[in-house]
Amino acid sequence: MAMRATLRCLSANFSPRLPLLSSAGRDNRAARLRWVSGTRRTFSSCSVLSTALKFTEKHEWVQVEGGIGTVGISSYAQDALGDVVYCGLPEVGQRLEQMDEFGALESVKAASELYSPLTGEVTAINTQLAENPGLVNKDCYAEGWLIKMTIEKPEEVDALMDQAAYDKFIKSLEE
Amino acid sequence: MLQLRRTLALLKGETGNQLARTGSSLPFLDSANNSSGLVLQSQSTDVYQNLALEDWIDAHVDLQQRGILLLWRNQPAVVIGRHQNPWSECNLPAMRKMGIALARRRSGGGTVFHDHGNLNLTFFASKKAYDRKRNLKVVTEALRRLRPNLDVRATDRFDILLNGHYKISGTASRLSRKSSYHHCTLLHSADRSALSTVLRPSCPGILSNATPSVPSPVANLIDHAPSLAWEELLEALVQQYNTEFGLSSVFTLVDPSSECVFPGVGNISTELRSWDWTFGRTPKFRVETLLELRDEHLPARCSAQLQMEVKGGQVESCRLDVPAGWLPLWLSRQLSDVLVGERFCPHRAAAAVTAMLRAEKGQFHSRLNNLCEAVLAMMG
């Protein structure tokens, strides 16, 4: 619950002095997730690649498995938001176009709109977040996932940034 | 108002000429030079129109190079935060009697009471320039210049306190794709009696994870600075905004209902007025309460336990435990069934139970009626 007095915004002039998870930390965590997911899959030799995290410029991640995309926000985003106190998520069955507003995360900082990274239908929402919105901060790549959705346009996934590109993107914002 | 216009016409100065040169009647759509700011004052006191205007500006105006300050006030209304529960935040029956509207805004935060004595300021900026502390400094510095003896300070929660104790301003914000807005209230001369009447729960026994308000003692600026006029306050705020951000702002009165100037704003205010947004967006909640029942004829009384789950503002499940000796179980179950699927609203629920009450003409009619009334009263 540390007060981030110098915190100004979600992007651009984000201060590098603030206690962000280190790049290495983020990479390790994401890599662990890929490895765990990869070992569960048995029918594709490209299994690790297809379950790798992809990122949007709005700091959301998507992980695809079995034709379903799991969506969450990145470590950079959760740190910029501050402590999440409420997750406003869509209904299961709601159809989203890429870039549609699908909900908001409320933190002490603001109500931050969430934008759909893909076009598809919501198949599940993380009901744990109702009782424990802080999961978005504590475990943003795993337990803090937000929604799962179908993927109507796989090309949208291909166009997202991979981990390396996203790390580069973050660095460019911090400069 | 006339004095304000004359005074603020002086502020226009050169930028007024600039407007004439560009020939634009829509200064906010013209990305002019960086040292000119924009201060808008809404001519409307309709809370839905003003909230819609905020969303319109956020969605349509390029705020990357220039911020905007919007000044507005509303006829009496209660405004709840994005993820709040109106039944636990405000007294809906009292509001209906007093003709006080309810609105849910898109920013986060807690519940506030708006009226003609409560000034709203919205600071629009790019996400990069989002800085609540700096915005509140505009307010506190303006107040200090007006009345140097006033002890006004912004807190870590971005409230402004008078004399270290009374809240005179609360803050909320919204971050969207590229832009942000931070709005705050400022209690100049609000009706405090109405405020304390309406900012109370309608419904007992609500269990919810909706964002709660943090109640605070409040005061009006005029309680401590009786000679401070509304126009004087506005003028000082505009001047301080210019000073703080190094601007020479154009001041414009705007009509938030104008589709010419703000195409599509009508759709936004329609959505904000809708039951689906105002009540239907309430986070799922549970009600657990005791209903006090009485039979005037005997006289006799008993307590019944009510458990309800409400999702999307509609009754998802309902359990009524009425002692079997008071009403037959099948009747209380029937009432539960009738309520499921209805809006958590006394009017809708009343319509739903009417048929059932008409059908029950026997000895239980009066007790059933009493039970229905107790349930409806509980819904606010």
Side-chain angles (χ1 to χ4, degrees):
Chain A
M1 295 277 271
M3 291 306 295
R4 295 174 175 87
T6 56
L7 188 63
R8 280 168 181 270
C9 65
L10 202 58
S11 61
N13 65 344
F14 190 91
S15 167
R17 287 170 301 179
L18 288 163
L20 264 184
L21 251 196
S22 68
S23 271
R26 279 200 302 273
D27 281 346
N28 284 343
R29 186 179 272 179
R32 256 184 281 133
L33 188 66
R34 277 200 297 277
W35 182 83
V36 168
S37 303
T39 53
R40 278 204 291 273
R41 289 170 67 86
T42 55
F43 60 85
S44 167
S45 59
C46 298
S47 55
V48 173
L49 286 174
S50 64
T51 58
L53 293 183
K54 301 296 286 278
F55 294 85
T56 72
E57 285 189 359
K58 295 294 146 206
H59 308 284
E60 288 147 353
W61 56 263
V62 181
Q63 196 211 7
V64 179
E65 193 172 341
I68 298 289
T70 305
V71 180
I73 63 166
S74 72
S75 179
Y76 180 94
Q78 68 75 25
D79 194 69
L81 265 181
D83 296 318
V84 176
V85 299
Y86 189 84
C87 301
L89 298 175
E91 293 293 310
V92 170
Q94 196 173 324
R95 195 177 170 279
L96 301 170
E97 295 278 336
Q98 193 180 43
M99 299 285 268
D100 271 355
E101 283 178 4
F102 72 83
L105 295 179
E106 186 166 345
S107 67
V108 289
K109 180 174 174 165
S112 295
E113 296 292 344
L114 291 164
Y115 297 94
S116 184
L118 305 169
T119 302
E121 189 182 294
V122 179
T123 56
I125 63 172
N126 187 350
T127 52
Q128 283 189 93
L129 297 178
E131 293 301 310
N132 198 350
L135 280 174
V136 174
N137 299 109
K138 283 181 224 137
D139 200 11
C140 56
Y141 294 111
E143 295 290 310
W145 66 273
L146 299 174
I147 65 167
K148 292 186 196 280
M149 61 192 299
T150 62
I151 299 170
E152 266 176 46
K153 300 178 184 171
E155 61 272 21
E156 285 174 347
V157 181
D158 296 336
L160 298 178
M161 288 183 272
D162 62 14
Q163 184 75 62
Y166 180 64
D167 287 344
K168 208 169 158 192
F169 174 65
I170 300 276
K171 283 207 176 73
S172 74
L173 295 176
E174 289 171 2
E175 276 145 25
Chain B
M1 261 319 267
L2 202 54
Q3 188 190 354
L4 173 67
R5 285 193 202 207
R6 261 192 254 121
T7 314
L8 288 163
L10 291 173
L11 277 176
K12 273 195 203 177
E14 285 166 20
T15 50
N17 291 338
Q18 241 177 12
L19 261 185
R21 262 186 262 124
T22 60
S24 171
S25 60
L26 303 168
F28 27 82
L29 294 181
D30 172 19
S31 30
N33 77 65
N34 292 348
S35 67
S36 71
L38 195 55
V39 176
L40 305 176
Q41 184 175 342
S42 173
Q43 291 173 305
S44 169
T45 54
D46 179 305
V47 63
Y48 307 106
Q49 285 181 357
N50 285 323
L51 290 173
L53 176 61
E54 281 186 320
D55 285 337
W56 191 97
I57 293 172
D58 187 62
H60 293 96
V61 179
D62 180 3
L63 296 162
Q64 298 311 305
Q65 303 302 324
R66 170 175 67 178
I68 295 176
L69 173 64
L70 172 69
L71 301 168
W72 46 296
R73 61 175 162 177
N74 297 315
Q75 287 165 42
V78 170
V79 182
I80 60 174
R82 175 85 171 254
H83 301 121
Q84 293 205 293
N85 182 322
W87 290 281
S88 53
E89 294 294 336
C90 56
N91 188 339
L92 295 165
M95 285 163 63
R96 270 197 299 275
K97 277 199 201 105
M98 295 158 80
I100 294 177
L102 172 70
R104 179 188 297 272
R105 56 180 190 266
R106 291 204 206 273
S107 55
T111 299
V112 286
F113 173 72
H114 286 195
D115 72 5
H116 288 110
N118 191 351
L119 175 65
N120 289 283
L121 299 97
T122 309
F123 298 85
F124 294 91
S126 66
K127 275 164 90 160
K128 289 180 204 174
Y130 174 67
D131 189 345
R132 290 171 295 176
K133 197 169 169 185
R134 194 176 183 193
N135 297 337
L136 292 183
K137 201 175 150 205
V138 168
V139 180
T140 52
E141 284 301 301
L143 288 172
R144 282 189 202 118
R145 278 176 197 233
L146 279 172
R147 298 290 185 276
N149 295 331
L150 273 182
D151 170 16
V152 285
R153 264 174 273 170
T155 67
D156 286 342
R157 275 188 73 243
F158 304 101
D159 289 341
I160 298 179
L161 297 184
L162 181 62
N163 297 342
H165 180 63
Y166 296 105
K167 182 170 167 177
I168 57 168
S169 168
T171 265
S173 355
R174 178 172 181 243
L175 298 174
S176 51
R177 230 176 294 257
K178 284 189 186 158
S179 51
S180 70
Y181 62 75
H182 158 217
H183 47 204
C184 62
T185 50
L186 187 56
L187 288 174
H188 172 267
S189 48
D191 181 346
R192 282 181 47 198
S193 153
L195 184 154
S196 62
T197 302
V198 299
L199 295 187
R200 274 174 213 185
S202 301
C203 179
I206 289 182
L207 303 163
S208 156
N209 68 336
T211 53
S213 293
V214 176
S216 313
V218 296
N220 279 314
L221 281 168
I222 56 163
D223 294 339
H224 297 260
S227 61
L228 179 61
W230 181 265
E231 291 79 5
E232 196 187 346
L233 177 62
L234 258 62
E235 193 183 314
L237 287 164
V238 174
Q239 268 187 23
Q240 193 60 37
Y241 177 72
N242 284 326
T243 304
E244 176 62 41
F245 292 97
L247 306 167
S248 52
S249 295
V250 176
F251 175 84
T252 316
L253 287 173
V254 292
D255 172 10
S257 68
S258 167
E259 284 288 324
C260 298
V261 181
F262 307 108
V265 75
N267 286 341
I268 305 177
S269 63
T270 299
E271 205 205 328
L272 289 166
R273 269 179 229 276
S274 70
W275 188 96
D276 282 339
W277 172 258
T278 313
F279 290 97
R281 288 298 194 126
T282 305
K284 183 172 175 175
F285 65 97
R286 206 175 149 70
V287 182
E288 283 182 8
T289 191
L290 279 180
L291 302 173
E292 297 304 326
L293 306 176
R294 55 187 75 215
D295 182 336
E296 302 296 346
H297 298 119
L298 285 181
R301 351 160 132 199
C302 82
S303 294
Q305 196 176 52
L306 172 76
Q307 289 172 0
M308 236 184 212
E309 301 229 332
V310 182
K311 187 180 172 190
Q314 293 187 326
V315 180
E316 201 176 49
S317 73
C318 176
R319 190 191 154 125
L320 267 170
D321 284 319
V322 183
W326 187 263
L327 268 183
L329 283 178
W330 68 268
L331 258 183
S332 36
R333 278 205 194 117
Q334 192 180 48
L335 177 56
S336 292
D337 290 342
V338 159
L339 291 170
V340 170
E342 289 296 333
R343 286 183 179 175
F344 189 76
C345 159
H347 303 298
R348 288 290 178 105
V353 306
T354 299
M356 192 191 149
L357 276 173
R358 273 205 212 111
E360 181 50 45
K361 295 189 198 304
Q363 55 177 314
F364 298 116
H365 182 270
S366 135
R367 286 189 178 186
L368 182 61
N369 194 35
N370 178 252
L371 176 62
C372 289
E373 280 178 2
V375 171
L376 297 184
M378 177 273 311
M379 286 183 173

